[in-house]
Amino acid sequence: MELRLYDTLSKEKRPFVPLDPVNVRMYVCGPTVYDFAHIGNARPVIVFDVLFRLLRHVYGDKHVTYVRNITDVDDKINARAARDFPALPLNDAIRKVTEETERQFHADVDALGCLRPTVEPRATEHIAEMRAIIEKLIAGGHAYVEQDHVLFSVASDPRYGTLARRSLDEMMAGARIDVAPYKRDGMDFVLWKPSKPGEPSWPSPGGIKVEGRPGWHVECSAMSWKHLGEQFDIHGGGIDLVFPHHENELAQTCCAFHRDRMANVWMHNGFLQVEGEKMSKSLGNFVTIRELREGWAGYAWPGDALRFAMLGTHYRQPIDWTAKALDEAHKTLWRWYGDIEGVQAASNVADDVLAPLADDLNTSGMIAALHALHKAGRLAEMRAALAFLGFSCDLPSLQRKPVTAELRTSEASDQVQMQGTAAPSKQQIEQFISERTAARAAKNWKESDRIRDELAAMGVILKDGKDAEGKPVTTWEVAR
Ligand code: AMP
Ligand code: ZN
């Protein structure tokens, strides 16, 4: 079976030829652990899990190394730690935030049927490799020290911009360039910066006397180098990472190791939006994996249904995450799981299912092939294919449980967790919501707004949406 993959760098679909078939190597940029992962973050996790499974099928389970990092040093983590645990020393607060977020991330992606990667390196455990890369870049004239910062000199790398396919002028126009006194050129990016008092800090490279911390991009160059070598097969992530993150990783790695390539294939998943709109906290349509699992659009959704809904769209296309599509995905799987119950799985995965996958991970084609197997009554092969794709095939666990009020991610117990003020209980919030629903039904907008404002004053934000059947529902979350 010939595997073909689309490469963002060359902009073409090419046959995949591993550098070493005995050790096929893939790196995917993982989460920055400061908050619950949202359903957009789940997309690369699911997409590259399917690719990992396919590579293992083709080259053997022991011959694929999949590295997905955990970014545990970042300004957003520091800010969240200071906000959530103001009484703790910052480093302890950071540990609390990163450990808890990592635990939740694992629980979420396990529920989505994703295998754990072979290695999950943490940035904080690879500072020595980051320093080594930075020293190489300075020695090679690709980086310079200025005001206790180390910057990558974009002008020193003639290839810069080839991944994003933009000229320097276009990049200058498109990127928000920080004008900083320590930059010789606006496009230069930070490899290392000094830490503020109390922030995580390590001895600096480049002869800098004060301690500091790495920039984001160099973290991935260091972790991929450590676990996959100077050059490897596949580098993946969401399309938003092409520029500047992957462009910068590519520049750092190639310049540090005098290579013309970092990964042979660059793969990027398209973006996910929710009910036709860009997902954002201010629009109130921000959906975390945990919310979907515990209560969204009227139900607590099983991970298998979320996975199936995600695979309904080709990974390079944008995907619109809707309650309707999720409902349909759930119904299809429900029918299939019912029909394959008690059926012994075939020993092989049918070529009908593998062929579309081998064509640049055409998962919608793969689902069409599953429909055809179902129609033809080839249930043993269906079961084998579904299991291979990471589906549990377990009918009882596919039950979606109706929920009255949606659980928002900030709740851990019955008492809503809020800092400072007295928190209302879930029952109280639900009471307010049902009063407001009655006011809305009576077109008493003044009263309905009053209740919304009263709850907002208590730190509870209401969101009006539709359930899977299209009926209006009001959900709530704790203001963050
Ligand atoms: P972040 O934590 O924002 O760095 O994102 C982690 C991963 O999720 C990256 O591969 C992103 O490209 C990806 N990602 C973030 N938001 C979305 C989205 N709305 N749709 C698809 N992928 C996303
Ligand atoms: Zn990365």
Side-chain angles (χ1 to χ4, degrees):
M1 186 181 57
E2 187 186 64
L3 176 57
R4 293 165 66 82
L5 297 173
Y6 181 85
D7 171 32
T8 312
L9 183 62
S10 59
K11 285 225 181 327
E12 56 184 14
K13 207 183 334 182
R14 283 189 277 119
F16 175 69
V17 184
L19 292 163
D20 175 6
V22 179
N23 185 16
V24 180
R25 290 163 285 158
M26 170 162 84
Y27 186 92
V28 175
C29 296
T32 303
V33 283
Y34 70 100
D35 205 350
F36 293 95
H38 58 65
I39 187 63
N41 300 136
R43 194 171 193 199
V45 176
I46 294 174
V47 162
F48 291 102
D49 177 67
V50 171
L51 181 56
F52 182 38
R53 287 168 187 271
L54 183 63
L55 292 170
R56 282 159 55 106
H57 182 81
V58 176
Y59 297 97
D61 287 3
K62 295 208 162 39
H63 301 298
V64 184
T65 307
Y66 172 21
V67 179
R68 186 184 61 214
N69 73 290
I70 289 183
T71 297
D72 59 352
V73 43
D74 186 274
D75 287 343
K76 291 190 285 269
I77 299 176
N78 301 347
R80 181 59 59 100
R83 192 198 74 179
D84 288 359
F85 303 100
L88 290 182
L90 186 58
N91 284 315
D92 296 348
I94 287 171
R95 192 163 338 106
K96 264 190 168 324
V97 168
T98 55
E99 282 176 2
E100 175 53 27
T101 311
E102 193 180 317
R103 196 196 54 71
Q104 181 68 46
F105 176 74
H106 281 143
D108 284 342
V109 300
D110 288 353
L112 294 173
C114 298
L115 298 171
R116 292 283 177 99
T118 324
V119 193
E120 256 190 318
R122 285 189 194 81
T124 49
E125 290 164 6
H126 295 75
I127 303 289
E129 288 80 4
M130 296 177 208
R131 267 201 308 259
I133 289 180
I134 294 172
E135 296 289 7
K136 284 178 197 289
L137 290 171
I138 296 173
H142 294 289
Y144 58 90
V145 177
E146 191 67 58
Q147 298 181 24
D148 296 334
H149 291 68
V150 186
L151 287 116
F152 185 91
S153 165
V154 166
S156 78
D157 179 14
R159 279 164 311 215
Y160 194 82
T162 46
L163 182 65
R165 294 242 166 174
R166 302 190 213 186
S167 67
L168 270 183
D169 287 346
E170 283 168 327
M171 286 185 282
M172 297 274 279
R176 242 188 293 146
I177 312 263
D178 302 330
V179 186
Y182 46 80
K183 285 190 186 182
R184 290 188 193 156
D185 185 315
M187 285 304 289
D188 292 351
F189 57 88
V190 169
L191 297 168
W192 191 267
K193 57 186 163 187
S195 299
K196 298 192 188 79
E199 278 181 351
S201 66
W202 294 269
S204 296
I208 299 170
K209 297 277 177 306
V210 298
E211 295 207 332
R213 60 205 169 103
W216 172 36
H217 314 301
V218 77
E219 297 177 9
C220 287
S221 286
M223 288 182 269
S224 58
W225 173 41
K226 169 79 183 284
H227 298 283
L228 299 177
E230 294 175 3
Q231 212 177 337
F232 49 93
D233 296 295
I234 299 170
H235 193 322
I239 189 85
D240 58 316
L241 298 187
V242 172
F243 186 82
H245 185 53
H246 287 170
E247 190 74 59
N248 292 355
E249 278 186 35
L250 178 63
Q252 292 159 170
T253 297
C254 290
C255 291
F257 302 115
H258 310 289
R259 295 268 186 180
D260 60 350
R261 278 161 185 257
M262 179 181 188
N264 268 354
V265 188
W266 289 84
M267 293 178 69
H268 295 98
N269 63 269
F271 240 48
L272 174 146
Q273 54 174 17
V274 174
E275 304 283 359
E277 285 193 281
K278 182 177 187 298
M279 182 167 35
S280 84
K281 290 202 169 155
S282 54
L283 285 176
N285 66 348
F286 192 88
V287 189
T288 65
I289 305 172
R290 179 164 165 199
E291 284 164 9
L292 285 156
R293 293 172 56 213
E294 300 198 352
W296 186 74
Y299 295 97
W301 297 91
D304 280 11
L306 304 174
R307 184 177 179 89
F308 194 63
M310 192 70 87
L311 296 179
T313 303
H314 188 272
Y315 77 94
R316 282 197 281 127
Q317 300 298 322
I319 182 170
D320 190 19
W321 187 264
T322 63
K324 187 164 170 285
L326 180 54
D327 182 50
E328 278 164 14
H330 182 261
K331 284 203 175 88
T332 303
L333 264 194
W334 184 260
R335 205 168 53 241
W336 288 357
Y337 278 17
D339 291 348
I340 61 175
E341 229 193 350
V343 172
Q344 178 78 29
S347 52
N348 286 330
V349 185
D351 279 345
D352 316 40
V353 172
L354 291 173
L357 281 184
D359 178 17
D360 192 31
L361 235 51
N362 178 1
T363 50
S364 40
M366 174 273 294
I367 290 174
L370 284 170
H371 276 291
L373 288 184
H374 184 244
K375 203 163 163 213
R378 292 162 62 185
L379 300 182
E381 288 166 284
M382 256 190 103
R383 190 173 187 122
L386 282 166
F388 158 70
L389 290 162
F391 292 97
S392 72
C393 302
D394 178 47
L395 189 62
S397 66
L398 193 64
Q399 291 266 10
R400 57 175 189 188
K401 295 181 192 65
V403 287
T404 42
E406 297 191 3
L407 250 123
R408 308 309 295 191
T409 48
S410 310
E411 290 176 88
S413 64
D414 192 41
Q415 187 72 15
V416 177
Q417 290 187 337
M418 284 194 296
Q419 304 251 317
T421 53
S425 71
K426 274 202 282 184
Q427 286 87 340
Q428 285 169 321
I429 297 172
E430 281 164 26
Q431 180 63 31
F432 273 116
I433 292 177
S434 67
E435 282 166 21
R436 180 167 167 275
T437 306
R440 279 159 62 86
K443 298 205 183 333
N444 185 349
W445 308 122
K446 216 169 144 201
E447 173 65 1
S448 113
D449 286 349
R450 188 195 64 75
I451 297 173
R452 173 193 285 273
D453 294 345
E454 189 170 337
L455 278 169
M458 292 189 272
V460 175
I461 305 299
L462 296 187
K463 188 182 85 181
D464 298 315
K466 293 204 171 82
D467 70 7
E469 271 85 41
K471 289 198 296 283
V473 283
T474 297
T475 57
W476 58 273
E477 68 183 336
V478 175
R480 292 183 143 244

